[in-house]
Structures are given as C-alpha cells and as structure tokens.
Amino acid sequence: MDKKKHTSSSFLEICKYAIPFLALALIAYPQSSDIYLYLHYGAMSLHNINPYLNSSDTFVSNLSPFLHWLQTSTYGPVSLFFFSVSALAVPISPLIAVYIFKIICVLVHALNAYLIWRLLTSYENRNLITMAYLVNPMLLNEQITNAHLDVLVANTLIVLIGCIYYQRYVFAILAIWVGFLVKTLPIIWLPLVFAFLCKERRWKDLLASVLLSLLIVAVITYTFLPTVSAWRSLLNPATAGATARSFHHALNLFLNFLPNVSVETTEIILSFFKYFAYLSWIVYYAVTLIKSFFRKNDSEINLVSDIGWTTLTLFLFATPWLMPWYPSILLPIAALSINSPKFVLTSLTFSLSPSIILGGGAGTTLISLVTSFVSVVPPTALLIFGRKKALF
C-alpha cells in the first residue's frame, strides 16, 4: 500500500511542474483546421450517417463552413467514437465541442506520460524522461493545442511497447489493431510482431493473434467498413498526388524552378521518385524482417527498435505528404529506447525540424523549399553522420 502511494505521489510530483505547460496548451486555440473535420465526422455519426461511405460535404453542420477536406473519413472507428462524444456539444456550440476534444487530448497525453513513467521503473532518470515527454513543445503544440489524433496513436504505441516488454503478445496485437482503428499507420507494425512470434516459436500466441485479427476485421467490415471503398478511405486518397515538407516536395519545387521543364516531365519524374521511395522502403522493411529471423540473441528490445526505425524511415524518405505532427509518434519510442541514443537523437531532431518554420509546407515558393529542406535534411544528416562514425 505504501509502495502504491509512493508511486502515485512521485508521478503527481512530476505533473505538478508540468501543469502550467499543459494548461497553456489546453487553453490555446487550435491553429489546425483538422479539429473541425473530426467533429464534423462525429456529428455525421450521431445522425447515423456513415462517414466512411459519405463524404463530409454530404452533411451540413455548424462546422461545415470551416471544412477544407470534402472527403470520406480517413480515421478509424475508435477515433470516430471520440469524435462523436465531443460532437454531442456541437448543437450547443462548436467552441465547446472543440474544447471537449482538447480535454480528451490532454488527459490522454498525461496518461501516456504516466505509462512511460511506469515502464521506466528500473531507470534512474525516469522522472527526467517523463517530464521531458510531458512538456515537450512539439507534443504540447501538435497533440494538445492542435488536438491531432496522434496523441491516441501514441497511447496505443506505448501500450504496445509495454505488452512487448512484458511478453503479453496477444495484447500487443490488440494494441496494434486499436491503433489502426485510430489512424492507419500502426498496421505497418503488425508483420514485425508476427515475425517475432514466429522466430520465438510462440505458436499459441501467434494462433490467438491471427484469430483475433480475423475477428476484428470481420466485425469492422460488418459494422463500419462494409465495402472496399470504405476500407480504402482509411488510406487518405485525397493526398495521393500531394506533397508537403518532404524530399518529394523539395524535388517538385526544384523542378518548377528550373526553366524548360514541362509539367508532364515534372509529373513523370515525381511519379518515378515516389514509387522508387516506396519500393526502397519496402525493401528496407523486408530486409529488417529477414534480419530479425537470423539475428542471434533476439530480444523484445530489438523488436521495439525495429518498430522505431521502420516508422522513422517511412516518414523521412517515403512519405510525400509529411505534416509537422507525423514525427511526434516517434517520441514515445524514443522515451522508451534510452539504450538506442542514435534513434533518440534522430527522432528528437526529426520531430523538431518540421515545426521550426510555420506555414509554407505545401506551397510553391522559396520558403516552401526551405521548409522542406529544414524538415528532412537534419535527421537525414544525422543518419549519414552516425553511419560514417560507426565505420571509422
């Protein structure tokens, strides 16, 4: 009892110093317009309109004038639940609905910090790491002030890592699926965990995980995503040809600045680069899977490291539409990977870089080109420098 009381009071002591920063992030009004889309999808669901089958412009709410994306929902049913809870206040006031969702975000962020603190029990600096996570400016700005869904994905990621470390593999698979039903990204972690279970000959866990996955897919197909187009909606088709804050966008702008380069030529080059980047990442992912089978003394720590590096490289090299809040999902892995300083440093740099210059991320001006380079060059330089240092 005394131990539990000490544990609770220690974390509350950390929170005491973080409260002013959390309060400021909560009070600040979102700069992003995504929150309006979240709440609008929630309002659609409350009116029994499936947002995965009907685009946002097929329904009119108090938030309709603020919508920039007139498409079906790209966020999973778990997200839709939180959207709907917040959207209950839309008829009263959209402002109240916005802050209800922001309150959810700040509570989940605090929970994430607490889970990190609990998972770092054996580390001497866990209070400092937890505090650094709680008051990280990028997390406060993107996951609380702008109320992006990545705070929920971060929660499922931390639970996933905890389940891996404590060898609760079926719950780890469940955490991945819950994360996927928040936002699509976590599905890329599924093959890594399945490969690890095969390598460790955890056949019962593997069978249970496969059955659980089939059950989840069946239930979601029967309820929220009854058609192929509904499932495809989660892939965010509206950004299929768009670029922002990435190597893809930098190449796009560079070609536009060159004389005598036609639009057709630019599109061909960009299309080739996009598929080359995707294919390169897929090859990297496949090599990571193969290496995990032949790695001696494989461990849960290696699995978490693979999850981190595959996610980082996907964002850095193979994501044409790179928003400033995307790399924030790397920070929970960094907080729980203190034995991997290279990943920690690269993740912190990558998370900070896209937020240095506000605006211009998807524009066609010189400032957009600078924004793209600032977003992706520093973390890439760290990767190259780290590799050269290892060679020498």
Side-chain angles (χ1 to χ4, degrees), residues 173-191:
I173 297 297
L174 179 61
I176 291 176
W177 277 109
V178 173
F180 170 75
L181 296 176
V182 172
K183 202 172 181 179
T184 314
L185 171 70
I187 201 67
I188 70 169
W189 306 327
L190 201 59

Side-chain angles (χ1 to χ4, degrees), residues 126 193 236 257 299 302 334 385:
R126 69 169 179 163
V193 180
N236 199 4
F257 291 148
S299 68
N302 292 330
F385 175 77

